[in-house]
Amino acid sequence: MKHVICNLAEVPAEGEARVFPFFGREVQVWRRGDRIRAAANTCLHLGGPLECKDGAFVCPWHGARFDMADGRHMDGPAPANARLMFLPTRIEGEELVYVWEEPS
Ligand code: FES
């Protein structure tokens, strides 16, 4: 299955992120070097939303922070080994596409 998340022109400059709808939920999309990443807009503490601040995703509910490079939990109330839920994506033409292939 695949699903278009956004047009590449909608992805902000590195250091910023933008939220897009995703099957009734939300994903954060951002540039990291020459890659475009997408992760669920969900804090791994109690599911709060994430805000992009100073090179990290910060949850306004209780202050957990996650690294934009690899989604790793940096500080605040979430499991120490937690990582943001990255989506498998690829670029097709001018679009960022979510792709899911069942293992064969
Ligand atoms: S829900 Fe995000 S820090 Fe608590």
Side-chain angles (χ1 to χ4, degrees):
M1 106 178 257
K2 62 184 187 178
H3 175 77
V4 175
I5 297 174
C6 66
N7 193 290
L8 298 182
E10 299 176 288
V11 181
E14 188 158 351
E16 301 173 26
R18 184 168 172 183
V19 173
F20 292 93
F22 187 74
F23 294 106
R25 300 189 180 203
E26 295 180 336
V27 291
Q28 290 276 3
V29 176
W30 69 101
R31 294 180 190 276
R32 185 75 185 179
D34 57 359
R35 296 186 67 185
I36 296 178
R37 310 299 304 264
N41 187 26
T42 304
C43 174
L44 297 171
H45 177 222
L46 294 176
L50 300 169
E51 298 173 352
C52 178
K53 284 187 184 170
D54 302 324
F57 286 112
V58 181
C59 177
W61 287 8
H62 314 103
R65 295 192 328 130
F66 301 88
D67 195 317
M68 290 180 79
D70 57 10
R72 159 182 70 79
H73 175 242
M74 299 168 72
D75 52 51
N81 61 352
R83 293 174 72 117
L84 295 180
M85 294 177 278
F86 283 86
L87 276 64
T89 61
R90 69 175 169 237
I91 292 172
E92 292 188 1
E94 293 300 314
E95 296 173 325
L96 180 68
V97 179
Y98 164 77
V99 290
W100 176 260
E101 296 172 16
E102 295 291 338
S104 54

Coordinates of all heavy atoms in Angstrom, one line a residue, residues 12 15-19 26-30 39-44 47-68 74-75 84:
P12 N 9.3 22.1 5.0 CA 10.0 23.3 5.3 C 11.5 23.1 5.3 O 12.0 21.9 5.1 CB 9.5 23.6 6.7 CG 9.1 22.3 7.3 CD 8.6 21.5 6.1
G15 N 15.7 22.2 10.0 CA 15.6 22.8 11.3 C 14.1 23.1 11.7 O 13.8 23.5 12.8
E16 N 13.2 23.0 10.7 CA 11.8 23.2 11.0 C 11.1 21.9 10.6 O 11.6 21.0 10.0 CB 11.2 24.3 10.1 CG 11.9 25.7 10.4 CD 11.5 26.7 9.4 OE1 10.4 26.6 8.9 OE2 12.3 27.6 9.1
A17 N 9.8 21.8 11.0 CA 9.0 20.6 10.7 C 7.6 21.1 10.4 O 7.2 22.2 10.8 CB 9.0 19.6 11.8
R18 N 6.8 20.3 9.7 CA 5.4 20.6 9.4 C 4.6 19.4 9.7 O 5.0 18.3 9.3 CB 5.3 21.1 8.0 CG 3.9 21.6 7.6 CD 4.0 22.3 6.3 NE 2.6 22.6 5.9 CZ 2.3 23.2 4.7 NH1 3.3 23.5 3.9 NH2 1.1 23.4 4.4
V19 N 3.4 19.6 10.2 CA 2.4 18.6 10.5 C 1.5 18.4 9.3 O 0.9 19.3 8.7 CB 1.6 18.9 11.7 CG1 0.5 17.8 11.9 CG2 2.5 18.9 12.9
E26 N -1.8 12.4 12.7 CA -0.9 13.4 12.2 C 0.6 12.9 12.1 O 1.0 12.0 12.9 CB -0.8 14.7 13.1 CG -2.2 15.4 13.1 CD -2.1 16.6 14.0 OE1 -1.3 16.7 14.9 OE2 -2.9 17.6 13.8
V27 N 1.3 13.4 11.1 CA 2.7 13.1 11.0 C 3.5 14.4 11.0 O 3.1 15.4 10.4 CB 3.1 12.2 9.8 CG1 2.6 10.8 10.0 CG2 2.7 12.8 8.5
Q28 N 4.7 14.4 11.6 CA 5.7 15.5 11.5 C 6.6 15.1 10.3 O 7.0 14.0 10.2 CB 6.5 15.6 12.7 CG 5.8 16.1 14.0 CD 5.7 17.6 14.0 OE1 6.1 18.3 13.1 NE2 5.1 18.1 15.1
V29 N 6.8 16.1 9.4 CA 7.7 15.9 8.3 C 8.8 16.9 8.3 O 8.5 18.1 8.6 CB 6.9 16.0 6.9 CG1 7.9 15.8 5.8 CG2 5.9 14.9 6.9
W30 N 10.1 16.5 8.1 CA 11.2 17.5 8.2 C 12.3 17.0 7.3 O 12.4 15.8 6.9 CB 11.6 17.7 9.6 CG 12.3 16.6 10.3 CD1 13.6 16.4 10.5 CD2 11.7 15.4 10.9 NE1 13.9 15.3 11.2 CE2 12.7 14.6 11.5 CE3 10.3 15.0 11.1 CZ2 12.4 13.4 12.1 CZ3 10.1 13.8 11.7 CH2 11.1 13.0 12.2
A39 N 7.5 11.1 10.9 CA 7.3 10.4 12.2 C 5.9 10.8 12.7 O 5.5 11.9 12.5 CB 8.4 10.6 13.2
A40 N 5.3 9.8 13.4 CA 4.0 10.1 14.0 C 4.1 11.3 15.0 O 5.1 11.4 15.7 CB 3.5 8.8 14.8
N41 N 3.1 12.1 14.9 CA 3.2 13.3 15.8 C 2.6 12.9 17.2 O 1.6 13.4 17.6 CB 2.3 14.4 15.2 CG 2.4 15.7 16.0 OD1 3.4 16.0 16.6 ND2 1.4 16.6 15.9
T42 N 3.3 12.0 17.8 CA 2.9 11.4 19.1 C 4.0 11.3 20.0 O 5.0 10.6 19.8 CB 2.3 10.0 18.8 OG1 1.2 10.1 17.8 CG2 1.7 9.4 20.0
C43 N 3.9 11.9 21.2 CA 4.9 11.8 22.2 C 4.8 10.4 22.8 O 3.7 9.8 23.0 CB 4.6 12.8 23.3 SG 5.6 12.6 24.8
L44 N 6.0 9.8 23.1 CA 6.0 8.5 23.6 C 5.9 8.4 25.2 O 6.1 7.3 25.7 CB 7.3 7.8 23.2 CG 7.4 7.7 21.6 CD1 8.8 7.3 21.2 CD2 6.3 6.8 21.1
G47 N 1.3 10.3 24.7 CA 0.7 10.5 23.5 C 0.4 12.0 23.1 O -0.4 12.2 22.2
G48 N 1.0 12.9 23.8 CA 0.8 14.3 23.4 C 1.3 14.7 22.0 O 2.1 13.9 21.4
P49 N 1.0 15.9 21.5 CA 1.5 16.3 20.2 C 3.0 16.8 20.4 O 3.4 17.0 21.5 CB 0.6 17.4 19.9 CG 0.2 18.0 21.2 CD 0.1 16.9 22.2
L50 N 3.7 17.0 19.3 CA 5.1 17.4 19.4 C 5.2 18.7 18.7 O 4.5 19.0 17.7 CB 6.0 16.4 18.7 CG 5.9 15.0 19.3 CD1 6.6 13.9 18.4 CD2 6.5 15.0 20.7
E51 N 6.1 19.6 19.2 CA 6.4 20.8 18.6 C 7.9 20.9 18.3 O 8.7 20.4 19.1 CB 6.1 22.0 19.6 CG 4.6 22.0 20.0 CD 4.3 23.0 21.1 OE1 5.3 23.6 21.7 OE2 3.1 23.3 21.3
C52 N 8.3 21.4 17.1 CA 9.7 21.5 16.7 C 10.3 22.8 17.3 O 9.8 23.9 17.1 CB 9.7 21.6 15.2 SG 11.4 21.7 14.5
K53 N 11.3 22.6 18.2 CA 11.9 23.7 18.9 C 13.4 23.4 19.1 O 13.8 22.4 19.6 CB 11.3 23.9 20.3 CG 10.0 24.5 20.4 CD 9.6 24.8 21.8 CE 8.2 25.4 21.9 NZ 7.8 25.4 23.3
D54 N 14.2 24.3 18.6 CA 15.7 24.3 18.8 C 16.3 22.9 18.4 O 17.0 22.3 19.2 CB 16.0 24.6 20.3 CG 15.5 26.0 20.7 OD1 15.5 26.9 19.8 OD2 15.0 26.1 21.8
G55 N 15.9 22.4 17.3 CA 16.5 21.1 16.8 C 16.0 19.9 17.5 O 16.6 18.8 17.4
A56 N 14.8 20.0 18.2 CA 14.3 18.8 18.8 C 12.7 18.9 18.7 O 12.2 19.9 18.4 CB 14.7 18.8 20.3
F57 N 12.1 17.7 18.9 CA 10.6 17.7 19.1 C 10.3 17.7 20.6 O 10.9 16.9 21.3 CB 10.0 16.5 18.4 CG 10.0 16.6 16.9 CD1 10.8 15.7 16.2 CD2 9.2 17.5 16.3 CE1 10.8 15.8 14.8 CE2 9.2 17.6 14.9 CZ 10.0 16.7 14.1
V58 N 9.5 18.7 21.0 CA 9.2 18.9 22.4 C 7.7 18.7 22.6 O 6.9 19.2 21.8 CB 9.6 20.3 22.9 CG1 9.3 20.5 24.3 CG2 11.1 20.5 22.5
C59 N 7.4 17.9 23.6 CA 5.9 17.7 24.0 C 5.5 18.8 25.0 O 6.1 18.9 26.0 CB 5.7 16.3 24.5 SG 4.0 16.0 25.0
P60 N 4.5 19.6 24.7 CA 4.0 20.6 25.6 C 3.3 20.1 26.8 O 3.1 20.8 27.8 CB 3.1 21.5 24.7 CG 2.6 20.5 23.7 CD 3.7 19.6 23.4
W61 N 2.9 18.8 26.8 CA 2.1 18.3 27.9 C 3.0 18.2 29.2 O 2.6 18.6 30.3 CB 1.5 16.9 27.6 CG 0.4 17.0 26.6 CD1 -0.1 18.1 26.0 CD2 -0.5 15.9 26.3 NE1 -1.2 17.8 25.2 CE2 -1.5 16.5 25.3 CE3 -0.6 14.6 26.6 CZ2 -2.5 15.7 24.8 CZ3 -1.6 13.8 26.0 CH2 -2.5 14.4 25.1
H62 N 4.2 17.5 29.1 CA 5.0 17.4 30.3 C 6.5 17.6 30.0 O 7.4 17.3 30.8 CB 4.9 16.0 30.9 CG 3.4 15.5 31.0 ND1 2.8 14.6 30.2 CD2 2.5 15.9 31.9 CE1 1.6 14.4 30.5 NE2 1.3 15.2 31.6
G63 N 6.8 18.0 28.7 CA 8.2 18.5 28.5 C 9.2 17.4 27.9 O 10.4 17.7 27.9
A64 N 8.7 16.2 27.5 CA 9.6 15.3 26.9 C 10.2 15.9 25.6 O 9.6 16.6 24.9 CB 8.9 14.0 26.6
R65 N 11.5 15.5 25.3 CA 12.2 16.0 24.1 C 12.7 14.8 23.4 O 13.3 13.9 24.0 CB 13.3 17.0 24.5 CG 12.8 18.3 25.1 CD 13.8 19.4 25.2 NE 15.2 18.9 25.4 CZ 16.2 19.3 24.7 NH1 16.0 20.2 23.7 NH2 17.4 18.9 24.9
F66 N 12.7 14.9 22.0 CA 13.2 13.8 21.1 C 14.1 14.5 20.1 O 13.8 15.5 19.5 CB 12.0 13.1 20.5 CG 11.0 12.5 21.5 CD1 10.0 13.3 22.0 CD2 11.2 11.2 22.0 CE1 9.1 12.7 23.0 CE2 10.4 10.7 22.9 CZ 9.3 11.4 23.4
D67 N 15.1 13.8 19.8 CA 16.1 14.2 18.8 C 15.6 14.2 17.4 O 15.1 13.1 17.0 CB 17.4 13.4 18.9 CG 18.6 13.9 18.3 OD1 18.4 14.5 17.1 OD2 19.7 13.9 18.9
M68 N 15.7 15.2 16.6 CA 15.3 15.2 15.2 C 16.1 14.4 14.3 O 15.7 14.0 13.2 CB 15.2 16.7 14.6 CG 14.2 17.5 15.3 SD 14.1 19.2 14.6 CE 13.3 18.9 13.0
M74 N 15.5 12.3 24.5 CA 16.6 13.1 25.0 C 16.4 13.3 26.5 O 17.3 13.1 27.3 CB 16.7 14.4 24.3 CG 17.0 14.2 22.8 SD 16.8 15.7 21.8 CE 18.3 16.6 22.4
D75 N 15.3 13.8 26.9 CA 15.0 14.0 28.3 C 13.5 14.2 28.5 O 12.7 14.3 27.6 CB 15.8 15.2 28.9 CG 15.7 16.4 28.1 OD1 14.5 16.8 27.8 OD2 16.7 17.0 27.8
L84 N 10.9 8.0 18.5 CA 9.7 8.4 17.7 C 9.4 7.3 16.7 O 10.3 6.6 16.2 CB 9.9 9.7 17.0 CG 10.1 10.9 17.9 CD1 10.3 12.2 17.1 CD2 9.0 11.1 18.9

